[in-house]
Amino acid sequence: MPMESLSIATPSGQTLSGALEMPTGLVRGAAVFAHCFTCTKQSRAAISVARALARQGIACLRFDFTGLGGSDGDFGKAGFATDIVDLIAAAEHLFERFEGKLLLVGHSLGGAAVLAAASQLGSSKVAAVATIGAPSDVPHVLHNISGDLDAIERDGEGEVTIGGRPFNLSGEFLEKTRSVDLLALVKDLRIPYLALHSPSDDIVGVEHASALFQAAFHPKSFVSLAGADHLLTNPSDAEFAASIIASWAQRYLPLRDDWPMPEDGVVVQTGHGKFGTEVHTATHRFVADEPRSYGGDDTGPTPYDLLLAALGTCTAMTMKMYADRKEWPFDGARIHVTHERNHAEDCGHALSAEEEGMTAQALNRVIEVFGDELTEEQRRKIIEIADKCPVHKTLEGHLHIHTES
């Protein structure tokens, strides 16, 4: 997916390092992802969720909290209250750029942070909130710290270990972490909520999800991440969580009213990335792109893929319609269509007078007919009717393209 590097200023003057995952096509909305305790925006969950949302047309910002990853500041003095300030700064940045309400997504302590941030931002700016493995009480995170917390409170600071990494924590960090009543904030929240949690999570037990779910008002949803660990280290678990959030979010970030949905034909509009392009019909939308070998993001079929698909699908439909009308035992067909750009060179094809000076191209179509009870004559007729498909006639006919501006 196209990705932009962002720098976000906080009210305290710190700079947060962010990565904005952009849809290849048009943007239907925006989201902020908050990573887990002492993780960074490069965590597996952060990348998987952000890119899954981008594939659904939702621009997603993953960023490093103060003092972590590429962000400024001292993590050991920041604490949970600073995480909330960071989240609000990130959300305001997206709110100004994309307008419309935002989706907030958080993993572990980041989940607690998005719930707290949503309570401050309110329903006028937040469309929905989703959490993965979030604790129902913020002080729970202190159980993951190896060190003498009593000494830190007495002396004002001290060395600890978190996840095998050394940190210098302040007494202020502990105070800010212990002062939050998250369940009280959730009880007052009137924003759609999705909780994802693994029943086998040995870092934050599933009872935390139960407490958050009970406290939240409807609309609320719960999805079990059965078999997953807390950090979603298995790629399939991260992708599953990401796909669920992306699908769920579509209900709360609907298509924009100003998106082109033509009554006839198609409308094509430039998207993001080098080649990303959005295609709209009266009832469908999808993305066209180029492969990475051509500098694209490979998030959709190429223009020539669409051309070949037009011929292939029209051929299949025409054959089926003919066989159904004849009431023949036709079980479908497989059509493989390829494109030759230099047909004259490849096949020694002689050019006509009209074709002189032009590059001779060809579409090669291989048709496989299924149906064990079909006779050879029926198979021959079905193959023969393939040349009668409307797209085939258009491509081989006298086609004129008229352009207006």
Side-chain angles (χ1 to χ4, degrees), residues 113-296:
V114 296
L115 288 167
S119 70
Q120 292 191 33
L121 288 166
S123 59
S124 63
K125 291 188 175 181
V126 180
V129 180
T131 63
I132 305 169
S136 58
D137 64 305
V138 175
H140 179 272
V141 74
L142 300 180
H143 298 310
N144 301 318
I145 299 176
S146 298
D148 192 341
L149 302 188
D150 292 336
I152 292 175
E153 289 182 308
R154 182 183 66 247
D155 301 333
E157 64 178 341
E159 293 291 331
V160 299
T161 301
I162 307 172
R165 297 160 57 198
F167 290 92
N168 188 68
L169 289 192
S170 68
E172 182 183 8
F173 180 100
L174 300 178
E175 181 183 351
K176 288 179 178 178
T177 301
R178 286 174 171 150
S179 64
V180 179
D181 186 350
L182 185 61
L183 288 178
L185 296 177
V186 173
K187 287 178 181 177
D188 290 335
L189 203 61
R190 298 295 185 272
I191 295 172
Y193 174 50
L194 169 66
L196 298 96
H197 213 112
S198 170
S200 55
D201 191 329
D202 58 0
I203 303 297
V204 179
V206 73
E207 67 274 8
H208 288 270
S210 298
L212 288 171
F213 190 80
Q214 288 296 324
F217 274 75
H218 284 290
K220 57 184 177 180
S221 305
F222 173 79
V223 174
S224 174
L225 301 177
D229 60 24
H230 182 68
L231 293 178
L232 303 183
T233 54
N234 187 323
S236 64
D237 293 330
E239 287 296 327
F240 173 73
S243 64
I244 290 294
I245 293 171
S247 296
W248 174 81
Q250 292 186 65
R251 178 175 291 273
Y252 304 106
L253 292 173
L255 289 173
R256 293 166 57 105
D257 292 337
D258 61 349
W259 275 21
M261 301 296 275
E263 292 185 4
D264 61 350
V266 301
V267 171
V268 174
Q269 187 163 326
T270 303
H272 301 278
K274 188 171 183 179
F275 295 111
T277 306
E278 187 114 0
V279 182
H280 293 254
T281 72
T283 55
H284 298 280
R285 49 177 288 270
F286 57 92
V287 168
D289 201 352
E290 290 285 358
R292 289 186 174 87
S293 59
Y294 280 72

Side-chain angles (χ1 to χ4, degrees), residues 64-80:
D64 295 325
F65 282 119
T66 292
L68 294 171
S71 292
D72 293 343
D74 185 347
F75 170 79
K77 294 181 179 178
F80 188 73

Side-chain angles (χ1 to χ4, degrees), residues 13-77:
Q14 308 286 1
T15 299
L16 304 178
S17 173
L20 181 64
E21 301 285 353
M22 291 292 292
T24 306
L26 303 183
V27 177
R28 71 185 297 157
V32 180
F33 184 93
H35 60 70
C36 54
F37 188 48
T38 72
C39 295
T40 70
K41 64 180 181 292
Q42 297 301 115
S43 73
R44 187 182 299 280
I47 293 173
S48 293
V49 171
R51 291 180 179 172
L53 290 171
R55 286 192 291 271
Q56 297 291 336
I58 301 170
C60 185
L61 171 65
R62 47 187 174 92
F63 72 97
D64 295 325
F65 282 119
T66 292
L68 294 171
S71 292
D72 293 343
D74 185 347
F75 170 79
K77 294 181 179 178

